[in-house]
C-alpha cells in the first residue's frame, strides 16, 4: 500500500502553499506596498528629504522598547498546537505512551553527548523545564504505528540557540555508537541530519535510528525524528517516532505548519495587549 507516503507528500505541499498565503496576507495587513518595476532606462527618483516631524518619529521608532513582549499564556500556547484536525487520518489523539519509550529510549552509553541526546529523547526535556506554561499534544498514526509528540513553551532564546547549535553537531559526534537499553540490552544507534523547512528564527533537526533486540528477544528498529524551532521567545519541539515507517515528510510538514501557527498566535497576542 502506498497511500500513506502520498498523503504525507500532499500534506507537505499544502502546508507550504498555506504558509506562502499567510506571508502574503501578512504583508498586506502591515500596509507595505511592493513597488512596480520601472521601464528600462528610467531611474528611480530620489526620495524627498524627511520632515522634522518624520525624523522625530523615526528616532522614536528606533529607540529600544521599554520592556520585552509578554509571554504567551497557556491558552495561547494551546492555540499553537498541532492536532489531529490538522493532520486527518490516520492520525488520532494518542491513547498513551508508546511501548518502545521505556523499552528502548531508556538507554545509556559511555559517550557524553550521545548519552545527553538519549536522555533528552526519553525525558522529553530537550531545553530543560520552562519557566512558564507549556502545552503538549500527542498523536498516534494508526497506519504506521508511529507516535508524534508536539510541545510549545518559552525558554531563554540564547539557551535555545546553544542547544540548537549542539544538536547540529550530533550527526558527526554521534554518527554511530553503541548503547544499552534498560530492558532491551545492546543497541546500535545511528544519527543523521534531517532537512527541515526554513521556519522561525532558528532551527535544527536530526534522525536517530536504533537497531537491536527488544525485551521479548525480537530484533527491532526504532526511528526517531527530532526537530526544534525557535520562534521569537517561544520554541516548538517535535518528535515523530515508531518501530514501523516514520515518514520524514510528516516531520517536515508539521514543523513548518507549527512554526507558522506559533508565529501567528504570538503576533495576535501582541496585537491584543
Amino acid at each position: 500500500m502506498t497511500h500513506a507516503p502520498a498523503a504525507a507528500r500532499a500534506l507537505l505541499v499544502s502546508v507550504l502553499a498555506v504558509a506562502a498565503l499567510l506571508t502574503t496576507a501578512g504583508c498586506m495587513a502591515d500596509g507595505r506596498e511592493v513597488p512596480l518595476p520601472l521601464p528600462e532606462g528610467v531611474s528611480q527618483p530620489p526620495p524627498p528629504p524627511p520632515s522634522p516631524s518624520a525624523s522625530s518619529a523615526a528616532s522614536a521608532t528606533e529607540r529600544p522598547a521599554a520592556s520585552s513582549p509578554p509571554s504567551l499564556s497557556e491558552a495561547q500556547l494551546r492555540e499553537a498546537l498541532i492536532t489531529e484536525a490538522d493532520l486527518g487520518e490516520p492520525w488520532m489523539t494518542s491513547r498513551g505512551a508508546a511501548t518502545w519509550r521505556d523499552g528502548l529510549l531508556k538507554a545509556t552509553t559511555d559517550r557524553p553527548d550521545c548519552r545527553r541526546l538519549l536522555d533528552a529523547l526519553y525525558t522529553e526535556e530537550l531545553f530543560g523545564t520552562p519557566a512558564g506554561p507549556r502545552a503538549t499534544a500527542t498523536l498516534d498514526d494508526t497506519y504506521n504505528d508511529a507516535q508524534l509528540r508536539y510541545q510549545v513553551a518559552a525558554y531563554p532564546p540564547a539557551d535555545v540557540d546553544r542547544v540548537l547549535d549542539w544538536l547540529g553537531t550530533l550527526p558527526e559526534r554521534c554518527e554511530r555508537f553503541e548503547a544499552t537499553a534498560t530492558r532491551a540490552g545492546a543497541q546500535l544507534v545511528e544519527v543523521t541530519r534531517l532537512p527541515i523547512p526554513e521556519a522561525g528564527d532558528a532551527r535544527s533537526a536530526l534522525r536517530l535510528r536504533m537497531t537491536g533486540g527488544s525485551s521479548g528477544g525480537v530484533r527491532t528498529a526504532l526511528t526517531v525524528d527530532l526537530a526544534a524551532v525557535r520562534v521569537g521567545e517561544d520554541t516548538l519541539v517535535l518528535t515523530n517516532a515508531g518501530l514501523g515507517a516514520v515518514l520524514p515528510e510528516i516531520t517536515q510538514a508539521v514543523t513548518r505548519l507549527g512554526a507558522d501557527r506559533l508565529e501567528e498566535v504570538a503576533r495576535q497576542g501582541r496585537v491584543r495587549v
Side-chain angles (χ1 to χ4, degrees), residues 218-231:
V218 179
R219 298 290 293 178
T220 60
L222 173 66
T223 302
V224 183
D225 285 353
L226 170 64
V229 179
R230 180 175 66 78
V231 181

Side-chain angles (χ1 to χ4, degrees), residues 198-222:
E198 293 285 328
D201 299 301
R203 71 209 64 83
S204 188
L206 53 81
R207 167 166 283 209
L208 177 146
R209 187 167 174 83
M210 177 181 288
T211 55
S214 68
S215 57
V218 179
R219 298 290 293 178
T220 60
L222 173 66

